[in-house]
C-alpha cells in the first residue's frame, strides 16, 4: 500500500496542506492499493507562486537551453518507463500493450518537442516589423486519468519548449501515475519551480488554477463539461485556453475495403484502452449492402476477445477505472436496449467468470439510430454502435451528425476516394487505414471536442504569443 501526502513544489516534494484522503482501488481486483492526501487551494497558490518566480528566468532562456532541459527530461522519464507502465496497469487497468505504449510515449514527447523547437523560428520578419515569439507566461496544465503519464509529459514538453513554467494538476484518480512521473521528472534536475505538480479536486485546486491571475494559459484535457467550466472561469483574467475534450469518433468502412484487415483495426480503435479513450472509434458506419457480412465478422472477433487481467498480454479489454465508470457504462447498455438497438454481442453485467473487478462485456449494437443516447454520448467503455449507410453522402451525414469532432477513421482500398471522404468529415484528425497517431502533427477537436491543437509546431505555438516590434 502506498500512501502519498506530498506535492512537488519549487523543486521538492513537500507535505500538502490539504487534508482530504482518497483511497484508490485496483480496478481489476477492487482491492485498495494506496491512499493519497489531496492538495487544496493553498497548495495551488504555493505552486503558482513557485512557477511565477521560475518564469522570470525561464522566459529568458535560449532555445539551446530549453532543448537541453527537454533532453534531460526525456532521459529521466525513459529510465522510469517500466514503473510508468506498471502504474498505468495497476491504477486504471490499462492493458499491458497500451500501458507499454504510454510509458514510451511519455519520454518520446520530450524528444518530439525538442525536435520541433530546433527548427522553429522564434524571431522572424513581417513587412518592416520584427516578430518575436515569446512565452505566454505561467501555464496551468490540467489532465484526466485515462492516460495520465502521457498527458502530463506531452503538455509539459510543449510548455517548456515555449519557455513557460507550469503548474500541473493531474486527475485525483491518478495519484500513482502522477507520483511515478513526478519522481522521474525531478531526477532531470531542472531549476526549481519550472514545473510544479499537485493533485486536488477540480472544483478546488482546478478552479484555483483556472481563476488565478498568476496563470496566463490553461492547457486542459478532459470532458467537454469541465472544459466549459474552465473556459468560463478563465475569461475573467483573459487566459489563453487550449481544450482537448470529449470525442465520439466515427469509423467509416467504404464498400471497397478489405474486411479481413479493416474490421480488426476498427475494433481495436473502438475498444482501445478498454474503451476509455477520447479517440475511440465507437460509431462504425458500414455500407448497407455489407452490413450482414460486417456483423458476422464483428461477432466472431468480439466473442473471442479476452477480457480480464490487464497484466496478461493476451488480454484485449481490462477493467474500467472505477465503480462509477462501470455503472455509467451499464446504464448506456441498458439505454441501448430500451431505445430499440439490436444487441449483437455482450450486454449488461460482468463477463462470465469475472466476479470481482470493474469488468464490462465488450458490447456491440446494430440498428442504432443517430438519435439514441448510445449514438450521441461518449460512453467511455467498450461499447460499439454499428450504423448502416446507403451511399457516401449518407455516411458523411451520419458521421457529422454529432456535437463532437475529435477524430475519424476511414477504411478503403482506394486512397483518393478515402482522402476525398476525409475532406468532408468534421473532425480534427482523420486516419485512413490506420489507427496509430502521428505525434508531430496537430491534434485536437472541432465543434465541442475542443479548442486549439497539441503536438508539433501547433502545440508549441499554443504556449507562445507573437510580439511585434516596428521602428521608424
Ligand atoms: P474530467 O473532465 O472529469 O476531469 C479532467 C480534469 O479536470 C481532472 O484533473 C479534474 O480534476 C479536472 N477538473 C474537474 N473539474 C474542474 C474544474 N471545475 N476546474 C478545473 N479543473 C477541473 O475528465 P475525466 O473523467 O478525468 O477524463 C475523461 C474525459 O476526458 C473524457 O470525456 C475524454 O474524452 C476526455 N479526454 C479527452 C482527450 C483529448 O485529447 N481530447 C484525451 C483524454 C481524455
Amino acid at each position: 500500500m502506498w500512501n502519498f501526502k506530498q506535492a512537488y513544489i519549487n523543486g521538492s516534494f513537500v507535505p500538502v496542506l490539504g487534508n482530504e484522503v482518497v483511497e484508490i482501488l485496483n480496478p481489476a481486483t477492487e482491492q485498495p492499493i494506496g491512499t493519497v492526501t489531496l492538495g487544496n487551494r493553498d497548495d495551488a497558490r504555493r505552486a503558482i507562486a513557485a512557477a511565477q518566480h521560475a518564469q522570470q528566468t525561464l522566459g529568458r532562456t535560449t532555445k539551446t537551453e530549453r532543448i537541453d532541459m527537454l533532453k534531460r527530461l526525456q532521459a529521466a522519464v525513459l529510465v522510469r518507463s517500466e514503473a510508468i507502465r506498471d502504474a498505468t496497469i495497476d491504477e486504471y487497468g490499462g492493458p499491458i500493450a497500451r500501458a507499454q505504449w504510454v510509458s514510451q510515449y511519455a519520454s518520446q514527447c520530450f524528444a518530439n518537442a525538442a525536435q520541433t523547437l530546433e527548427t522553429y523560428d522564434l524571431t522572424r520578419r513581417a513587412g518592416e516589423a520584427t516578430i518575436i515569439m515569446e512565452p505566454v507566461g505561467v501555464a496551468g496544465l490540467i489532465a484526466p486519468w485515462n492516460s495520465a503519464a502521457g498527458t502530463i509529459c506531452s503538455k509539459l514538453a510543449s510548455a517548456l519548449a515555449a519557455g513557460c513554467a507550469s503548474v500541473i494538476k493531474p486527475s485525483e484518480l491518478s495519484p500513482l501515475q502522477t507520483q511515478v512521473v513526478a519522481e522521474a521528472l525531478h531526477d532531470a534536475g531542472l531549476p526549481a519551480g519550472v514545473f510544479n505538480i499537485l493533485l486536488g479536486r477540480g472544483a478546488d485546486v482546478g478552479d484555483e488554477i483556472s481563476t488565478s491571475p498568476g496563470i496566463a494559459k490553461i492547457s486542459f484535457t478532459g470532458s467537454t463539461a469541465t472544459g466549459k467550466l474552465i473556459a468560463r472561469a478563465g475569461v475573467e483574467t483573459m487566459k489563453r485556453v487550449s481544450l482537448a475534450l470529449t470525442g465520439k469518433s466515427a469509423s467509416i468502412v467504404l464498400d471497397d475495403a478489405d474486411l479481413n484487415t479493416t474490421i480488426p483495426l476498427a475494433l481495436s480503435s473502438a475498444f482501445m484502452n478498454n474503451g476509455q479513450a477520447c479517440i475511440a472509434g465507437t460509431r462504425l458506419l458500414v455500407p448497407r449492402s455489407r452490413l450482414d457480412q460486417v456483423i458476422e465478422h464483428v461477432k466472431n472477433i468480439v466473442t473471442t476477445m479476452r477480457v480480464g487481467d490487464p497484466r496478461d498480454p493476451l488480454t484485449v479489454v481490462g477493467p474500467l477505472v472505477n465503480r462509477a465508470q462501470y455503472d455509467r457504462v451499464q446504464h448506456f447498455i441498458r439505454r441501448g436496449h430500451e431505445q430499440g438497438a439490436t444487441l449483437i454481442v455482450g450486454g449488461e453485467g460482468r463477463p462470465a467468470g469475472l466476479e470481482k473487478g470493474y469488468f464490462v462485456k465488450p458490447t456491440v449494437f446494430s440498428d442504432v439510430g443517430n438519435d439514441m443516447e448510445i449514438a450521441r454520448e461518449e460512453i467511455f467503455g467498450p461499447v460499439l454502435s454499428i450504423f448502416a449507410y446507403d451511399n457516401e453522402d449518407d455516411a458523411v451525414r451520419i458521421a457529422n451528425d454529432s456535437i463532437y469532432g475529435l477524430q475519424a477513421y476511414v477504411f478503403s482500398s482506394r486512397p483518393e476516394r478515402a482522402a476525398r471522404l476525409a475532406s468532408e468529415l468534421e473532425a480534427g484528425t482523420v486516419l485512413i487505414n490506420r489507427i496509430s497517431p502521428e505525434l508531430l502533427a496537430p491534434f485536437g477537436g472541432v465543434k465541442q471536442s475542443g479548442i486549439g491543437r497539441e503536438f508539433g509546431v501547433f502545440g508549441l505555438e499554443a504556449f507562445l504569443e507573437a510580439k511585434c516590434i516596428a521602428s521608424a
Side-chain angles (χ1 to χ4, degrees):
M1 284 273 286
W2 37 264
N3 186 0
F4 303 136
K5 298 178 174 176
Q6 297 181 321
Y8 185 75
I9 297 177
N10 208 24
S12 315
F13 288 93
V14 296
V16 291
L17 303 171
N19 54 21
E20 181 187 351
V21 178
V22 172
E23 185 180 59
I24 300 292
L25 309 182
N26 178 324
T29 62
E30 298 181 43
Q31 293 302 308
I33 52 172
T35 63
V36 58
T37 306
L38 298 179
N40 63 16
R41 283 185 189 268
D42 289 332
D43 292 302
R45 289 185 193 119
R46 288 196 292 166
I48 294 167
Q52 283 180 295
H53 186 70
Q55 183 64 41
Q56 294 167 20
T57 312
L58 184 66
R60 295 199 196 95
T61 47
T62 62
K63 236 189 196 189
T64 313
E65 288 168 323
R66 288 183 218 159
I67 289 171
D68 175 61
M69 286 192 258
L70 290 165
K71 289 188 172 162
R72 278 152 64 190
L73 289 167
Q74 179 203 2
V77 172
L78 190 60
V79 168
R80 305 284 183 116
S81 56
E82 280 185 18
I84 292 173
R85 180 198 62 199
D86 292 345
T88 304
I89 298 171
D90 290 348
E91 196 162 59
Y92 79 81
I96 189 161
R98 170 83 190 176
Q100 180 75 27
W101 184 86
V102 167
S103 71
Q104 296 304 309
Y105 166 66
S107 72
Q108 183 58 36
C109 53
F110 292 108
N112 291 353
Q115 184 188 330
T116 302
L117 182 58
E118 190 114 49
T119 53
Y120 185 82
D121 289 330
L122 288 166
T123 304
R124 59 190 81 163
R125 298 286 294 174
E128 292 182 354
T130 300
I131 307 300
I132 303 171
M133 301 303 287
E134 294 188 333
V136 65
V138 174
L141 312 179
I142 304 180
W145 50 267
N146 69 328
S147 174
T151 312
I152 293 170
C153 291
S154 71
K155 286 185 186 301
L156 173 59
S158 294
L160 186 62
C164 296
S166 52
V167 175
I168 306 172
K169 194 208 90 64
S171 166
E172 54 277 28
L173 298 178
S174 50
L176 179 57
Q177 296 167 81
T178 301
Q179 180 70 19
V180 171
V181 172
E183 286 172 9
L185 298 173
H186 172 70
D187 287 350
L190 264 47
V194 161
F195 61 88
N196 305 272
I197 308 176
L198 79 163
L199 290 166
R201 293 279 176 200
D204 185 17
V205 170
D207 184 67
E208 185 64 33
I209 294 170
S210 310
T211 52
S212 168
I215 298 278
K217 158 91 192 179
I218 298 277
S219 176
F220 169 75
T221 296
S223 63
T224 294
T226 305
K228 289 178 183 178
L229 292 176
I230 288 175
R232 282 192 199 109
V235 81
E236 199 53 45
T237 46
M238 244 2 124
K239 293 194 198 323
R240 281 68 183 134
V241 178
S242 298
L243 304 170
L245 308 175
T246 299
K248 189 73 188 174
S249 299
S251 297
I252 302 180
V253 179
L254 291 180
D255 56 11
D256 56 47
D258 169 20
L259 295 186
N260 290 323
T261 52
T262 294
I263 298 302
L265 269 182
L267 291 175
S268 296
S269 138
F271 297 137
M272 69 167 82
N273 217 24
N274 312 333
Q276 301 171 128
C278 53
I279 51 173
T282 53
R283 297 186 294 149
L284 183 63
L285 278 53
V286 301
R288 196 173 299 284
S289 59
R290 300 189 78 181
L291 180 63
D292 292 344
Q293 224 183 330
V294 169
I295 288 177
E296 205 48 42
H297 241 87
V298 166
K299 211 185 211 168
N300 287 341
I301 297 175
V302 178
T303 321
T304 57
M305 242 175 210
R306 171 87 68 106
V307 184
D309 181 2
R311 289 187 173 276
D312 183 342
L314 295 177
T315 293
V316 179
V317 178
L320 300 186
V321 67
N322 57 19
R323 161 68 61 181
Q325 194 60 25
Y326 175 86
D327 289 342
R328 175 186 160 85
V329 173
Q330 296 298 326
H331 160 82
F332 277 112
I333 296 175
R334 208 156 38 246
R335 290 299 289 153
H337 278 300
E338 287 168 2
Q339 296 193 316
T342 304
L343 184 68
I344 300 297
V345 55
E348 282 183 69
R350 287 192 161 85
L354 291 169
E355 310 311 329
K356 278 268 169 211
Y358 306 121
F359 295 101
V360 169
K361 294 178 199 163
T363 296
V364 182
F365 285 105
S366 72
D367 299 317
V368 181
N370 226 14
D371 53 345
M372 294 181 190
E373 283 171 33
I374 57 170
R376 305 212 72 76
E377 295 195 35
E378 183 189 56
I379 299 173
F380 231 49
V383 181
L384 173 67
S385 297
I386 301 182
F387 302 74
Y389 66 81
D390 294 317
N391 52 44
E392 274 185 38
D393 287 348
D394 197 30
V396 170
R397 180 190 61 76
I398 297 170
N400 289 346
D401 180 17
S402 168
I403 60 168
Y404 302 115
L406 187 58
Q407 184 147 296
Y409 305 85
V410 178
F411 298 96
S412 168
S413 58
R414 288 169 50 197
E416 280 172 24
R417 188 180 177 205
R420 180 166 41 77
L421 196 83
S423 71
E424 293 185 39
L425 294 175
E426 295 168 357
T429 298
V430 182
L431 298 180
I432 298 175
N433 296 332
R434 64 186 274 180
I435 62 170
S436 58
E438 171 47 68
L439 297 174
L440 288 170
F443 175 72
V446 301
K447 302 195 279 188
Q448 294 197 30
S449 283
I451 295 176
R453 295 290 179 268
E454 298 191 274
F455 306 159
V457 170
F458 293 84
L460 174 64
E461 289 186 336
F463 291 93
L464 292 169
E465 199 94 81
K467 178 188 275 177
C468 164
I469 300 177
S471 52

